[in-house]
Amino acid sequence: MIYAANFKTNHTRKSTALYMQTLNEKLRAKNPEDKVYIFPPSTALEKYVGDFTVGTQNAYPAHNGAYTGEIGVEQLDEFDIKTILIGHSERRELLNESQENVAAKFSFFKAQDFEIIYCIGEPLEVREKGFEAVMKYLLAQFDGIDTEYEKLIVAYEPIWAIGTGRSATVEEISSTHRALKKAINEKPLLYGGSAKPANIKEITSIAGVDGVLVGSASLDAESFFQMISHQ
Ligand code: 13P
């Protein structure tokens, strides 16, 4: 299983360092087959040593240049970061990233040989229209995306389940993942949206779920480790 922590705009450089240390001590007990990713805010990127991979929540598709407020490959190289989240619904919605922007970012970081966790997800009004509408919406989020890319991991995060405490039901996750797995040639597929210690066992036992992308419940190292070590 894959367990990925997306801190979003939470934690400082100092609290992230403490988190990494605390988590890494606990990770000695993890199943060696499981893989852990941490996406701290950009100000907390560092060459952390541990049984996990550190990635960036975002970057501009350039090596360096005049892109005020952004970071590029040169800044990521300093910390050996070779993993990126692309397409998160918060960036699509709050920062107006279009499918075209997202696809350009994907192509750029693919060319840089980055591991890409590519996020897709539908809003509530689409889910309420039914499964067919959901799949049409989700598949459109693969426009311009190379689903054959070998370093691709997809994360399905229904927007209405993010940060709401209400995760999708087993049936919703199961049917959506089954259809998505076919569309992405069986690439690893994570679920995200109110995943937490209380529902991790149920979610990870669904066929077609290869792991989770966790926001709120990952902010505390103990809670995130409870998810990683659930049995
Ligand atoms: P929550 O786990 O807080 O619902 O956030 C999910 C998410 O957006 C991870 O990228």
Side-chain angles (χ1 to χ4, degrees):
M1 282 285 151
I2 294 170
Y3 298 88
N6 177 8
F7 286 2
K8 307 187 179 181
T9 314
N10 297 292
H11 276 300
T12 60
R13 192 170 179 80
K14 196 170 171 184
S15 69
T16 300
L18 189 63
Y19 180 105
M20 299 297 195
Q21 201 182 351
T22 310
L23 182 69
N24 200 40
E25 277 162 25
K26 294 178 188 294
L27 288 180
R28 283 196 215 122
K30 96 170 182 12
N31 178 341
E33 284 171 19
D34 291 335
K35 212 166 168 218
V36 175
Y37 291 85
I38 319 271
F39 295 88
S42 306
T43 54
L45 293 178
E46 186 50 87
K47 284 186 187 176
Y48 297 104
V49 177
D51 191 2
F52 49 75
T53 299
V54 179
T56 184
Q57 294 175 21
N58 179 48
Y60 197 79
H63 199 76
N64 54 24
Y67 309 105
T68 302
E70 297 286 326
I71 58 171
V73 174
E74 186 174 292
Q75 287 72 36
L76 297 172
D77 275 352
E78 187 175 16
F79 306 116
D80 298 334
I81 306 289
K82 293 290 280 178
T83 304
I84 186 168
L85 280 184
I86 294 180
H88 195 282
S89 58
E90 285 151 15
R91 296 203 60 84
R92 292 181 194 258
E93 289 200 329
L94 303 172
L95 294 144
N96 296 321
E97 283 192 9
S98 65
Q99 185 59 31
E100 216 172 278
N101 298 149
V102 164
K105 205 176 271 194
F106 188 100
S107 301
F108 178 85
F109 284 98
K110 177 189 152 195
Q112 302 296 315
D113 203 32
F114 268 56
E115 185 169 29
I116 298 173
I117 298 194
Y118 181 68
C119 308
I120 58 170
E122 83 286 357
L124 187 57
E125 63 267 25
V126 172
R127 176 52 74 175
E128 283 171 345
K129 284 187 194 151
F131 185 70
E132 221 172 285
V134 169
M135 287 315 299
K136 188 171 171 222
Y137 189 95
L138 295 178
L139 294 178
Q141 294 186 321
F142 289 116
D143 279 357
I145 303 297
D146 176 9
T147 54
E148 304 280 340
Y149 181 44
E150 65 177 81
K151 292 188 177 172
L152 167 66
I153 296 173
V154 174
Y156 168 56
E157 301 201 293
I159 298 171
W160 45 274
I162 295 179
T164 58
R166 174 192 158 194
S167 89
T169 64
V170 169
E171 166 48 29
E172 285 164 335
I173 299 174
S174 168
S175 53
T176 312
H177 274 235
R178 194 178 321 125
L180 284 174
K181 280 292 253 186
K182 279 192 205 135
I184 60 173
N185 305 303
E186 304 296 319
K187 289 275 181 302
L189 179 58
L190 315 182
Y191 167 78
S194 298
K196 52 194 165 199
N199 60 21
I200 188 68
K201 196 168 173 195
E202 189 173 58
I203 291 172
T204 52
S205 39
I206 300 171
V209 171
D210 301 303
V212 282
L213 178 55
V214 190
S216 326
S218 74
L219 295 180
D220 174 59
E222 176 58 41
S223 151
F224 188 47
F225 184 70
Q226 265 179 40
M227 296 179 77
I228 296 166
S229 61
H230 76 92
Q231 269 324 323

